[in-house]
Amino acid sequence: MIDGFAKDNLHRRLRRDREALLWKLDGLSAYDARRPLTATGTNLLGLVKHVATVEARYFGEVFGRPSPEPLPRWQDSDGSDQWAAEDETRDQIVGFCRRTWEHSDATINELPLDAPGHVPWWPQPHTNTNLFAVMVHVLGETNRHAGHADILRERIDGRTGLRAEHEQQIDEAARAAYCAKIERTARTAALLKAEM
């Protein structure tokens, strides 16, 4: 009974966080979806592509159910899963993402939580695992990158939130006042620390 509850709960949260990550692309220009927004080149479309690639590997290769999507060998990973090439469209990447979800969901639905898996890119002695551990790992990875996407999207146009239906109108004046208050507090704390 607890296995069914745990599996359903993890799966539901994974589906929620996948959609939240994908939602961060809504309404963006091709440039804003692709452009690097950090010193390391992190970008929204790249996050979506990366998370789909990670999910394809974990719910595919790890359980002997290779993704129907073409993936380079994990040994040959060169970071190209973290950004969109010039000839890759947003629709192609979103399509890859959604097809990956279908394949992953089939793996999750068809296997029990204790189904054995093998992760060759994990260090020994942790390469042998099970579906439960992989679901927790992929949920963590998806959630982490959805958080990155939250910050990147806020940086582009100020939009925040988990889902469109919970999004509130941006009050620029209130936001500026709030940030100014935090800035003043940070400066005051720094001065007090310097005086100690």
Side-chain angles (χ1 to χ4, degrees):
M1 178 123 163
I2 189 68
D3 282 359
F5 171 79
K7 186 176 179 182
D8 290 345
N9 194 17
L10 289 171
H11 198 182
R12 186 174 59 254
R13 289 178 180 272
L14 177 60
R15 289 190 300 262
R16 177 200 67 189
D17 291 346
R18 288 168 172 164
E19 290 291 347
L21 176 59
L22 201 54
W23 176 58
K24 295 302 173 179
L25 295 175
D26 279 5
L28 288 180
S29 68
Y31 174 71
D32 281 337
R34 294 167 174 268
R35 69 181 169 117
L37 295 162
T38 69
T40 58
T42 306
N43 62 90
L44 287 166
L45 192 55
L47 284 174
V48 170
K49 182 180 174 184
H50 171 70
V51 170
T53 302
V54 165
E55 190 169 320
R57 291 198 190 290
Y58 276 101
F59 291 118
E61 295 172 42
V62 167
F63 296 100
R65 300 165 60 98
S67 171
E69 300 290 323
L71 297 172
R73 294 177 338 130
W74 65 267
Q75 300 93 323
D76 299 331
S77 178
D78 62 359
S80 61
D81 70 321
Q82 297 183 14
W83 55 281
E86 291 174 358
D87 63 341
E88 289 179 296
T89 67
R90 179 189 331 219
D91 287 345
Q92 288 172 324
I93 291 173
V94 169
F96 162 62
C97 182
R98 291 199 180 280
R99 290 186 303 275
T100 294
W101 295 354
E102 288 177 24
H103 186 259
S104 297
D105 289 347
T107 297
I108 292 167
N109 290 333
E110 292 171 21
L111 299 179
L113 279 179
D114 63 351
H118 180 76
V119 186
W121 51 89
W122 282 2
Q124 287 293 347
H126 307 288
T127 57
N128 292 321
T129 189
N130 61 33
L131 180 62
F132 176 78
V134 167
M135 287 182 76
V136 169
H137 180 81
V138 172
L139 177 60
E141 181 88 4
T142 303
N143 188 271
R144 177 175 179 246
H145 291 309
H148 294 148
D150 283 340
I151 293 167
L152 296 181
R153 182 61 190 253
E154 183 177 349
R155 184 171 174 209
I156 292 170
D157 62 8
R159 288 180 67 184
T160 61
L162 181 62
R163 293 190 297 263
E165 61 266 24
H166 298 300
E167 190 173 21
Q168 296 179 358
Q169 192 71 13
I170 298 169
D171 181 340
E172 296 291 348
R175 219 178 239 187
Y178 181 72
C179 286
K181 176 182 175 180
I182 295 170
E183 178 66 28
R184 283 190 306 275
T185 302
R187 288 184 185 280
T188 301
L191 287 172
L192 292 174
K193 176 102 171 133
E195 293 173 4
M196 292 183 168

